[in-house]
Amino acid sequence: MSANLSAILYLVSGVLFILALRGLSSPETSRQGNLFGIIGMVIAVTVTFLSVGNFSSGFFYVLIFLVIGGSIGAFIAYRIPMTAMPELVAGFHSLVGLAAVFVAISAFINPSAFNLGTPGNIKLASLIEMAIGAAVGAITFSGSVIAFLKLQGIMSGAPITFKGQHLLNALLLILIVILTVYLCSTQSSNLFWILIAISFLIGFLIIIPIGGADMPVVISMLNSYSGWAAAGIGFTLENTALIITGALVGSSGAILSYIMCKGMNRSFFNVILGGFGATDQTSGGQNKEQRPVKSGNADDAAFLMKNASSVIIVPGYGMAVAQAQHALREMVDTLKKNDIKVSYAIHPVAGRMPGHMNVLLAEANVPYDEVFELEEINNDFANADVAFVIGANDVTNPVAKTDPQSPIYGMPVLDVEKCKSVLFVKRSLSPGYAGIDNDLFYKENTLMLFADAKKMTEDITKNL
């Protein structure tokens, strides 16, 4: 394939990626945006594949690994449940970072294959690009691995901190900059390997102090890192598609991280340095066993809803675990037949990743005009008759507004407690992902519904 044709097709794929991001910015156009992204990626991969050369050994190596990687990716995507989507995203981010590291290593060891010069005499600009790409890629890989382990439950979701942690992170970042400067002047292979090793270490150190409540921000942050890693390697390979795609992913991920931080009242710069979520987690629920709790059943919940004029649904990770979104849609349809106004309240970090609840509700064909973000609906709780909380814990916890010692203090939460009645579907009184007790359980107007979210919702529908 000629260089001119490749450049044109890469440009077309880049435009499609931009259209994909535009489409994904709204639930109504998200399916179309996803389709644009798929077409753009097919074009980019095909052009890259045909640019390898004639039917040489390299061509067949690319074909073999393309088939293997594509088959594994398709199998995982087909089998993965929605509840495990955050872990999947973290895992794929780690692979993007590792790929960037491998490409940088290949370019450093054999620069002539990439038209970058010869070993020990690599172009300065290319050396800077591959050093940055390798460092960001290594940080993305190790950070994503820790995020995956925390999300999967293999590693504790509690923050892991130690004295002098922020100072150590700062020193390591400065050391990476110094090593990059010396690497450009000496082109020493030892410095290159040390740079990669330290980058792996700092990726690990950035993520371990982040608590479970802040994990959605981690996902968007690592998404941004993976994009910048890809863009850096795109410059090294002089690949237009990689540069455009990486820049789009990196910038959109950074913007999303900022939006998430704003939604959780976190400092954006602390996120970048891995210094958030590390508050002392003194739970306000040490004496929860002595605190009175009102519990009910599906019949009680149906009675309250039938006599309500407005109901606000607050979905959370518990709904995702129980796969209760379709049962919830049926319950809402029944309520609407009885002329009861129903709307959905979505917190920016409900679930384990940005947009988690929106995807689940879209899967159940919930009308987009019934779904509202925190800022749009929070004032409506005071005038609503019933709030139906289905598995959302930390994002409804009033302690975020009252306890300065809480790890979620200052995070904007849904004002569920202001409703006349709160129906809280949960298996037990166990704390949420942030590891703290929810004061909402013990409010006078709260009725706990201890059951599987899907079964309880189905039973309420029957009673309605």
Side-chain angles (χ1 to χ4, degrees), residues 410-430:
M411 181 179 86
V413 292
L414 293 162
D415 294 332
V416 175
E417 76 277 6
K418 292 182 180 179
C419 269
K420 293 177 183 176
S421 298
V422 178
L423 301 174
F424 206 122
V425 184
K426 204 172 183 297
R427 288 179 179 273
S428 67
L429 291 174
S430 60

Side-chain angles (χ1 to χ4, degrees), residues 47-64:
V47 172
T48 304
F49 180 65
L50 295 177
S51 300
V52 172
N54 296 323
F55 289 92
S56 60
S57 59
F59 185 92
F60 285 109
Y61 277 128
V62 172
L63 179 61
I64 290 170

Side-chain angles (χ1 to χ4, degrees), residues 12-28:
V12 170
S13 67
V15 172
L16 286 169
F17 291 143
I18 293 171
L19 292 174
L21 276 180
R22 178 70 183 88
L24 291 170
S25 65
S26 170
E28 290 88 343

Side-chain angles (χ1 to χ4, degrees), residues 101 105 200 208 240 258 376 412:
V101 174
I105 291 172
F200 277 128
I208 59 170
T240 310
Y258 175 77
E376 301 172 303

Side-chain angles (χ1 to χ4, degrees), residues 310-312 341 343-345 370 372-387 414-416 418-420:
S310 62
V311 175
I312 298 178
K341 180 187 175 184
S343 50
Y344 297 81
E370 294 178 6
F372 300 93
E373 298 295 329
L374 180 145
E375 296 85 358
E376 301 172 303
I377 201 170
N378 224 15
N379 291 330
D380 295 345
F381 282 104
N383 300 316
D385 294 312
V386 175
L414 293 162
D415 294 332
V416 175
K418 292 182 180 179
C419 269
K420 293 177 183 176

